[in-house]
Amino acid sequence: QITFGSIFLGNVPVHEEVHRCAGQIHGYKGCVRDFQVNNKELFIIDEALGGRNVENCNVQICDYHPCRNGGTCTSDAENWFCECPKLYSGKLCQFATCDENPCGNGATCFPKSRRDAVCLCPYGRSGILCSDAINISQPSFSGTDVFGYTSFLAYSTIPNITFYYEFRLKFQLANLHSALQDNLIFFTGQKGQGLNGDDFLELGLRNGRVVYSYNLGSGTATIISKPLDLTLNIHVIHLGRYLQKGWLKVDDQKNKTVTSPGRLVGLNVFSQFYLGGYREYTPELLPKGSRFKNGFQGCIFDVQVRTSMNQEFKSPGTPEGHPNSGRSVGQCKDSPCSLIKCRNGGKCIEGGSTVYCDCLTGWKGAFCTETVSVCEPEHNPPHLCKQGGTCVPLPNGYTCHCPLGTTGTYCEQG
């Protein structure tokens, strides 16, 4: 029997009055591995106030794979513990920062550390927790962030695009080096949502040139422009296709044409129209062989399309000009960091509408205002408690509370 305050594990204290009123009480026989009340994990031996007749359990616990989230189980005849991967903690590696999501308005929560999260804001929202509404008339995209996500806008599928389309758009680059390497401007196709067809239409930048590709189901047609004139502040693209023949005009360059291979003449696409990036963590929507590795870096605006020569150009979306969803998209030339002040040497990082503070070693929190305890996982150097030992901070350093079966300054001895 082990006692935690008024909680009794295994049995209750037996007194004569209990015997007279209730007869013999039988306690639990077996092994108890983990004990958790709500979100607080209690260490069975270390935090017990009292107990008796408790022995080590020699069950080879690692055979049952108790560690979660990729944790590695280590055991011997007397004890076991989980070595947790980055961003997870707890006896079973069961706790992560985003379990209790602090982000609002449908934002994507990403654990920056075991204590702090970053909120990747949805379309129309900005701020540390994505609580601030913003008006976007000229979308600003940040490419692929350090967490592996791209900023993007997703519009409803463009109707009647099968045999004819024309697109017009303008863009402004944010970084003349990385923004020209391998960056998606827009995409629509059959891939995604369980579909795996060949038809697609995509536009991007590669090695300083505009790349326009489409596949009608019988092979890919591609047009590559001349290198962009980087003295221009704003670039203008006009492209189209009628049946198999496609054409592309970039800035003041000459019009270039191509004819798709095979005999198929219709473009059949089902996915949404993605601008600036893609929803997936990796670009699985994009066709193999021509995938753009990054999202767009800069501003894309005045995007218009028509699917007949007799039509007026109009903005994509239903209603017109309104995306269905998006992530980390800001307003061109606006800086969310202008509203954020990181403390104690922290650096403000922005990506479209997403913003957070990157703290110096020893500091944590949304604005880098909290110190990192010597026992916290983020502390540099980390504490040295071994084999599941519990680190307890002291005024000058720390000590290790060792689990049953271990001893030594850092619980390193069996």
Side-chain angles (χ1 to χ4, degrees), residues 2 24 26 41 89 98 106 109 126 145 148 150 200 236 256 258 324 337 347 367 390:
I2 302 176
Q24 184 65 41
H26 297 283
E41 181 182 10
S89 61
C98 288
C109 179
S126 185
D145 61 30
T150 60
F200 72 86
V236 180
K256 301 184 75 170
V258 71
N324 294 337
C337 276
K347 181 181 178 182
F367 300 98
T390 303

Side-chain angles (χ1 to χ4, degrees), residues 260-279:
S260 62
R263 296 184 178 182
L264 298 178
V265 297
L267 176 69
N268 299 295
V269 297
F270 312 117
S271 79
Q272 299 182 92
F273 179 74
Y274 288 89
L275 185 67
Y278 31 79
R279 182 187 305 277

Side-chain angles (χ1 to χ4, degrees), residues 35-164:
F35 187 34
Q36 182 175 320
V37 179
N38 295 328
N39 286 327
K40 178 174 175 55
E41 181 182 10
L42 297 176
F43 292 92
I44 293 178
I45 299 299
D46 291 355
E47 298 188 44
L49 301 180
R52 65 170 179 254
N53 299 330
V54 178
E55 298 178 350
N56 278 327
C57 183
N58 292 325
V59 175
Q60 295 298 314
I61 212 65
C62 288
D63 292 344
Y64 295 90
H65 307 292
C67 306
R68 304 174 193 172
N69 300 304
T72 301
C73 183
T74 301
S75 68
D76 53 30
E78 295 189 353
N79 203 5
W80 68 277
F81 62 97
C82 293
E83 293 183 9
C84 300
K86 188 178 181 181
L87 307 180
Y88 291 98
S89 61
K91 178 74 172 177
L92 302 178
C93 308
Q94 71 272 44
F95 298 124
T97 312
C98 288
D99 283 349
E100 298 180 6
N101 189 349
C103 307
N105 300 297
T108 301
C109 179
F110 191 90
K112 185 176 66 169
S113 70
R114 290 185 176 95
R115 305 297 183 195
D116 294 330
V118 172
C119 299
L120 310 180
C121 294
Y123 175 74
R125 291 286 173 172
S126 185
I128 292 287
L129 299 178
C130 304
S131 55
D132 303 328
I134 57 172
N135 183 39
I136 299 175
S137 57
Q138 293 186 345
S140 172
F141 302 87
S142 56
T144 306
D145 61 30
V146 296
F147 311 112
Y149 289 94
T150 60
S151 58
F152 76 93
L153 290 177
Y155 297 86
S156 57
T157 303
I158 299 174
N160 306 317
I161 201 174
T162 305
F163 301 113
Y164 182 93

Side-chain angles (χ1 to χ4, degrees), residues 18 71 80 90 113 124 128 134 154 167 211 229 307 349 387:
V18 177
W80 68 277
S113 70
I128 292 287
I134 57 172
F167 285 89
V211 179
D229 181 357
T307 54
I349 306 295
Q387 304 191 81

Side-chain angles (χ1 to χ4, degrees), residues 191-396:
K191 287 184 181 293
Q193 292 82 46
L195 301 172
N196 197 34
D198 293 325
D199 291 26
F200 72 86
L201 161 65
E202 68 180 352
L203 181 71
L205 296 170
R206 184 171 285 131
N207 299 324
R209 303 168 185 258
V210 176
V211 179
Y212 162 42
S213 296
Y214 59 90
N215 189 334
L216 308 181
S218 56
T220 300
T222 299
I223 303 176
I224 302 176
S225 76
K226 292 181 178 180
L228 290 174
D229 181 357
L230 300 184
T231 63
L232 298 175
N233 185 38
I234 295 176
H235 300 276
V236 180
I237 293 180
H238 194 179
L239 63 87
R241 179 191 64 86
Y242 175 59
L243 301 180
Q244 291 179 289
K245 187 174 182 179
W247 53 270
L248 170 70
K249 181 169 177 55
V250 177
D251 296 331
D252 294 328
Q253 299 179 18
K254 289 184 178 180
N255 190 59
K256 301 184 75 170
T257 62
V258 71
T259 300
S260 62
R263 296 184 178 182
L264 298 178
V265 297
L267 176 69
N268 299 295
V269 297
F270 312 117
S271 79
Q272 299 182 92
F273 179 74
Y274 288 89
L275 185 67
Y278 31 79
R279 182 187 305 277
E280 280 71 14
Y281 191 81
T282 54
E284 294 175 354
L285 274 181
L286 304 184
K288 292 182 179 179
S290 58
R291 288 179 178 172
F292 291 94
K293 297 177 182 178
N294 271 308
F296 187 80
Q297 297 177 29
C299 302
I300 304 176
F301 46 94
D302 296 346
V303 180
Q304 295 184 312
V305 61
R306 68 179 181 181
T307 54
S308 169
M309 292 186 66
N310 301 321
Q311 280 184 348
E312 294 287 329
F313 279 92
K314 65 177 185 179
S315 300
T318 306
E320 182 182 348
H322 289 265
N324 294 337
S325 61
R327 179 178 56 227
S328 298
V329 176
Q331 170 67 4
C332 191
K333 298 181 180 178
D334 282 357
S335 170
C337 276
S338 64
L339 305 175
I340 302 296
K341 187 171 181 61
C342 304
R343 306 289 182 175
N344 300 303
K347 181 181 178 182
C348 184
I349 306 295
E350 62 183 35
S353 61
T354 293
V355 60
Y356 64 94
C357 289
D358 188 21
C359 303
L360 292 178
T361 299
W363 297 94
K364 64 176 183 175
F367 300 98
C368 307
T369 54
E370 306 169 42
T371 57
V372 177
S373 163
V374 68
C375 286
E376 291 188 60
E378 296 87 351
H379 189 269
N380 190 13
H383 68 78
L384 299 177
C385 300
K386 307 293 185 184
Q387 304 191 81
T390 303
C391 178
V392 178
L394 299 174
N396 295 308

